[in-house]
Amino acid sequence: ASFLLYACFLGSFWRKSEMVKVLARASVVLMVLGTPSLAAAVRVALPAAAAAARCGRVRAPPACAGAGEDLSSLGLTPQLEKVVRGFKSVPDQKLRYQQLLFLAQKLAPMDASLAVDANKVPGCLSTVYVHGYLGDDDTINFVGESDSQLTKGIAALLINGLSGCTNEEIQAVDPSFIQAAGIAQSLTPGRNNGFLNMLKMMKGQAAKLAERDESSGGGGGAASDAMSEAAR
């Protein structure tokens, strides 16, 4: 409640459109950081802020639409579900586009030695690399890079959402979550196709890593060893 009052207070000084952008970004970031209760409070403020941007005054915020929507049929990982709910709460396609650019800025850099053909995603408008490797706890992690900030943002969404998961969890993810999150509408057909190719490649890498781990007797492996092997 105090956060909403503070947001309305700031709204009296800010341009209303800027307030919408800040609240939208805050909602996605808080979901990624694992603070869903605070993110939900921000999402409640978003419809009112969007209305204020249109008519010039702050209105009482309605209940957050879609906050409790069942996404279980999409097979999302816990982290990916947080991100999807965060994007669903953003009321404007341009703001979702901006959130992807923000995720791109926050993506950890990939070692240049991993930018090899084996890690290059086919069928993308931009050059994209994704690389999966086994962690010591039998989970799978990913790194990635792209020469396009928007494509890098899409890769970051997948990397953040799938890293730290098992092969079974990764294989269960339904690619249609991109529509559920409202992101597909912000992308061109070529970018949407690139997203599908990225997810397909990451699932393929996860399956190979799990098969290799099983054939070697399990127990995972040092991440640095796996990454070095892929770079050869």
Side-chain angles (χ1 to χ4, degrees):
S2 60
F3 181 88
L4 296 179
L5 288 174
Y6 183 57
C8 291
F9 172 76
L10 291 178
S12 65
F13 295 96
W14 289 349
R15 291 170 51 196
K16 300 302 187 297
S17 60
E18 292 302 316
M19 183 170 68
V20 175
K21 293 178 183 178
V22 171
L23 289 173
R25 175 167 293 182
S27 174
V28 175
V29 171
L30 289 170
M31 290 299 288
V32 172
L33 293 178
T35 53
S37 59
L38 186 53
V42 179
R43 289 199 303 271
V44 171
L46 274 169
R54 291 191 296 271
C55 69
R57 68 178 185 274
V58 177
R59 297 176 176 175
C64 179
E69 184 177 341
D70 184 14
L71 300 175
S72 59
S73 63
L74 298 178
L76 301 178
T77 67
Q79 184 67 13
L80 197 53
E81 182 173 343
K82 291 178 184 178
V83 175
V84 169
R85 291 192 183 280
F87 271 94
K88 281 174 65 68
S89 69
V90 178
D92 184 83
Q93 289 186 20
K94 291 182 179 178
L95 293 178
R96 294 191 192 104
Y97 187 97
Q98 291 175 356
Q99 294 311 309
L100 289 173
L101 297 180
F102 177 74
L103 290 178
Q105 294 173 5
K106 297 300 180 182
L107 182 64
M110 186 186 77
D111 192 296
S113 65
L114 298 175
V116 295
D117 288 343
N119 292 329
K120 187 175 182 180
V121 180
C124 288
L125 296 177
S126 307
T127 301
V128 190
Y129 296 97
V130 290
H131 173 70
Y133 60 95
L134 276 175
D136 293 330
D137 55 355
D138 290 336
T139 59
I140 297 168
N141 298 293
F142 294 95
V143 292
E145 187 58 81
S146 175
D147 59 358
S148 162
Q149 285 298 103
L150 178 58
T151 305
K152 187 175 179 179
I154 300 171
L157 185 152
L158 289 170
I159 289 168
N160 294 337
L162 300 180
S163 290
C165 298
T166 65
N167 174 53
E168 290 75 15
E169 290 173 323
I170 293 170
Q171 301 302 328
V173 173
D174 188 332
S176 66
F177 81 81
I178 195 79
Q179 282 86 23
I183 300 173
Q185 297 88 323
S186 304
L187 304 176
T188 63
R191 299 288 186 194
N192 274 296
N193 188 57
F195 158 79
L196 294 174
N197 289 335
M198 273 186 255
L199 180 57
K200 181 179 179 180
M201 185 167 187
M202 293 170 80
K203 284 187 174 186
Q205 290 180 350
K208 290 180 181 178
L209 287 167
E211 182 180 357
R212 184 187 310 167
D213 185 46
E214 184 177 351
S215 63
S216 64
S224 58
D225 292 343
M227 295 179 75
S228 296
E229 179 182 347
R232 290 183 187 139

